[in-house]
Amino acid sequence: MKRHIRLEAEVLQKEESLWRDKIAQALSFLEAVQSQANNQSLEDAQSLVNKTLETLAQAEEYVQMLAPDTANLSDKMGIESKEDPSVLTAKEINAKASALYAKIQVTGIPIDTQALQDLINKNKQQLDEMLKDLQGKFGFLPNPNKADHYAQIAEKAGYPLPKSPTGKTKTDVWTIERAAKDVPALVELSNARKVRMKLSKLESLSKSVKDGKVYPTYSLDEELGRTHAGGDANPMNWEPDMQGLVKDGDNTILVVDYERMEPKVLATLSADKQFQADLKADPYTELAKTIFNTQQISPEQRSVAKVAMLASIYGQEDRVLAARLGVSVYQAARIQAAWHKRYPQAFNFLQQLKQSGRATGQAVSYHGRVKALNKPDPEANDRLAVNSVMQNTAGDLARIGFANVASDPRVDQLGVKIITTVHDSMILSIPKGVDVEEVKTIVKQDMVDGNDSNFGLSISFKQGSAWGTAR
């Protein structure tokens, strides 16, 4: 299969044609400017000519890069366009993943039932205290799930909440956070809603326990390339205290995480040498040095750089980044400009994914997983074009590694069980007396050495008596 269908000649020809049209327009504009030069000041005319020549040079350079010589282009972009039998197809990965999750589903997730009941009681008490405190302040017992109660509290404080076009009071997280500085009690009620949701999740989990285990149902979305866990016992979004309930007697719980999966995917597909070099250390710190123009980086500055990098990898626009960082759109654009400056090939590759999506109406991951781009909003399609390639490629690489562990006979011989997988993490139960270091060696061979060597994959380990307390 082609390593990346985006580079097929049909796409290249469309792109080339588009930019050749731009060259023609630029030449026409240049001629018009030159013919009118006598009617303008020499300085103004020369400025227009220079600007047009610059545009023309950029367009010609782009056309050269997009010339339908896929072998030459793949060298520039770091992606091979030839047939490569070593790269698994999406269909092959689906088959491996199906076998993996069929095995996990039978194994089940062991739960410390006494700790679960203690956590339920703790959340009940916390919710009761929060609501009684609000009742004392406002004279009624508020329901965290009722929008009208948020509205009543806001009105009592002289800060009416905005309404949607249909007339319903807005109580989404963004609205509450914006109102928080004027009406702190809204945040208290919103926090109570979070505790109630947590309590509901815990009670549903408790009802799902059978013989000390829960058995989620796993499924794979073939288009998105994402694994879903259904039922009340869905481990995908468990908080750390819920993860702490996963305990298998005296066994050691080993948590295996792929490190910086999406950044490594982008660095490889774009062939950005600076990005690849920074990934050997800490790319977020290195990017922060460019953003803030200093060599001394604080944890807060590193966090800004991390959010900015991942926002780009997930296809998010400047306004979304601005909202996440609490800065203006202009400031977010400047942060992205610094990202572009440090990693130009990676940044441009993401833009080219969007252009390819617009030209073909689809996005294709490294393993050939196709996502249709048919949203009515062009920005949503641009976001999907980037997000699906990045996350589908990363997700498939993780599934290959997980499946390799599940099918390794040495794992079964040692009595090691795969409890579950969550995003790019895998949780194992190792029987007492089994050498944990031996298991780590096997897992690394399966998840890193036995996976695609192009991406420089690496993993980290945490271990303990429970998932949530593993260190």
Side-chain angles (χ1 to χ4, degrees):
M1 57 170 285
K2 289 184 187 285
R3 294 279 290 277
H4 204 286
I5 298 175
R6 186 180 65 82
L7 298 177
E8 288 183 345
E10 180 183 352
V11 178
L12 297 170
Q13 288 164 358
K14 287 182 180 179
E15 290 285 303
E16 183 190 8
S17 175
L18 172 68
W19 281 90
R20 289 203 184 281
D21 287 345
K22 287 185 180 294
I23 288 178
Q25 293 171 12
L27 286 170
S28 297
F29 182 56
L30 178 61
E31 291 173 0
V33 169
Q34 289 173 328
S35 67
Q36 296 174 16
N38 293 332
N39 299 324
Q40 301 182 48
S41 73
L42 180 61
E43 183 178 348
D44 289 343
Q46 188 61 50
S47 175
L48 286 170
V49 169
N50 290 342
K51 184 176 180 180
T52 308
L53 286 171
E54 181 180 350
T55 302
L56 179 61
Q58 291 175 346
E60 287 178 332
E61 180 181 354
Y62 200 81
V63 167
Q64 290 301 315
M65 193 185 80
L66 289 173
D69 175 1
T70 57
N72 183 42
L73 180 59
S74 65
D75 290 340
K76 295 181 181 180
M77 298 304 301
I79 303 170
E80 295 178 15
S81 58
K82 63 183 180 182
E83 301 289 328
D84 189 342
S86 69
V87 178
L88 295 177
T89 65
K91 185 176 181 180
E92 291 169 331
I93 295 170
N94 290 345
K96 290 171 74 72
S98 295
L100 162 69
Y101 290 109
K103 189 172 185 177
I104 295 177
Q105 200 159 309
V106 172
T107 301
I109 302 176
I111 299 293
D112 185 332
T113 53
Q114 183 57 55
L116 172 57
Q117 188 57 53
D118 291 344
L119 191 56
I120 289 173
N121 294 338
K122 176 183 175 182
N123 278 265
K124 280 182 177 178
Q125 182 179 353
Q126 183 182 2
L127 179 61
D128 185 56
E129 291 173 354
M130 294 173 80
L131 294 180
K132 283 183 177 178
D133 182 56
L134 287 167
Q135 184 180 24
K137 291 179 179 178
F138 296 100
F140 71 97
L141 187 64
N143 184 333
N145 293 332
K146 284 194 173 181
D148 289 347
H149 288 192
Y150 286 87
Q152 288 180 44
I153 290 175
E155 286 172 7
K156 283 178 179 285
Y159 189 96
L161 291 174
K163 295 184 181 294
S164 68
T166 59
K168 293 183 64 176
T169 300
K170 290 185 176 182
T171 62
D172 58 276
V173 173
W174 296 107
T175 300
I176 298 302
E177 287 186 354
R178 282 194 293 269
K181 61 181 180 181
D182 298 294
V183 195
L186 287 177
V187 178
E188 295 176 37
L189 186 56
S190 179
N191 289 338
R193 174 168 57 182
K194 294 174 185 176
V195 174
R196 174 170 283 187
M197 292 172 62
K198 174 79 165 291
L199 180 58
S200 176
K201 189 187 295 186
L202 288 168
E203 290 174 336
S204 295
L205 177 63
S206 180
K207 292 176 184 177
S208 302
V209 176
K210 297 177 182 177
D211 300 323
K213 290 185 176 183
V214 291
Y215 298 87
T217 54
Y218 297 91
S219 62
L220 180 67
D221 185 318
E222 295 191 4
E223 182 184 42
L224 296 177
R226 295 176 186 163
T227 304
H228 302 286
D232 294 325
N234 180 356
M236 295 293 176
N237 298 308
W238 286 2
E239 294 88 348
D241 56 355
M242 292 184 68
Q243 295 174 357
L245 302 172
V246 179
K247 186 175 182 180
D248 194 9
D250 293 331
N251 286 11
T252 296
I253 301 299
L254 183 66
V255 180
V256 191
D257 294 308
Y258 273 113
E259 298 177 308
R260 298 170 185 153
M261 181 73 92
E262 283 90 351
K264 288 182 178 180
V265 166
L266 176 56
T268 298
L269 294 183
S270 65
D272 191 306
K273 300 302 182 185
Q274 183 64 62
F275 200 1
Q276 292 171 359
D278 285 356
L279 276 165
K280 294 176 181 176
D282 180 7
Y284 308 129
T285 296
E286 297 305 317
L287 176 57
K289 291 176 182 178
T290 302
I291 292 173
F292 298 102
N293 193 29
T294 179
Q295 292 299 304
Q296 300 300 318
I297 299 300
S298 69
E300 293 75 18
Q301 290 172 324
R302 180 185 181 278
S303 179
V304 168
K306 181 176 181 179
V307 170
M309 182 182 294
L310 294 179
S312 288
I313 290 174
Y314 298 149
Q316 295 171 348
E317 299 86 8
D318 289 346
R319 58 185 175 80
V320 178
L321 176 60
R324 292 188 64 185
L325 293 176
V327 300
S328 68
V329 174
Y330 171 72
Q331 288 172 311
R334 290 192 64 182
I335 290 172
Q336 291 292 56
W339 149 251
H340 187 183
K341 178 181 178 181
R342 185 162 188 87
Y343 306 124
Q345 281 185 255
F347 191 92
N348 290 335
F349 176 76
L350 296 176
Q351 307 315 306
Q352 288 155 11
L353 286 181
K354 296 176 185 179
Q355 293 167 1
S356 174
R358 294 169 198 157
T360 64
Q362 63 182 27
V364 186
S365 75
Y366 175 76
H367 300 93
R369 201 177 293 279
V370 180
K371 170 64 181 173
L373 306 176
N374 50 17
K375 301 285 185 183
D377 179 7
E379 280 191 359
N381 285 327
D382 282 352
R383 185 166 57 252
L384 274 176
V386 171
N387 196 354
S388 58
V389 171
M390 293 296 104
Q391 292 201 328
N392 284 357
T393 301
D396 280 336
L397 289 168
R399 273 182 287 274
I400 291 169
F402 299 155
N404 287 346
V405 175
S407 62
D408 192 325
R410 296 174 295 175
V411 173
D412 290 334
Q413 289 165 7
L414 292 172
V416 176
K417 301 172 188 173
I418 302 177
I419 293 176
T420 190
T421 68
V422 177
H423 307 304
D424 53 7
S425 301
M426 181 173 62
I427 296 85
L428 303 173
S429 175
I430 304 174
K432 185 177 181 179
V434 173
D435 185 355
V436 175
E437 295 305 314
E438 180 184 358
V439 175
K440 289 180 181 179
T441 298
I442 294 171
V443 168
K444 181 180 180 298
Q445 290 171 350
D446 289 335
M447 292 179 62
V448 177
D449 303 337
N451 211 323
D452 195 312
S453 62
N454 290 309
F455 292 88
L457 300 178
S458 60
I459 54 178
S460 63
F461 297 100
K462 293 182 291 187
Q463 65 188 73
S465 60
W467 174 13
T469 59
R471 296 290 181 269

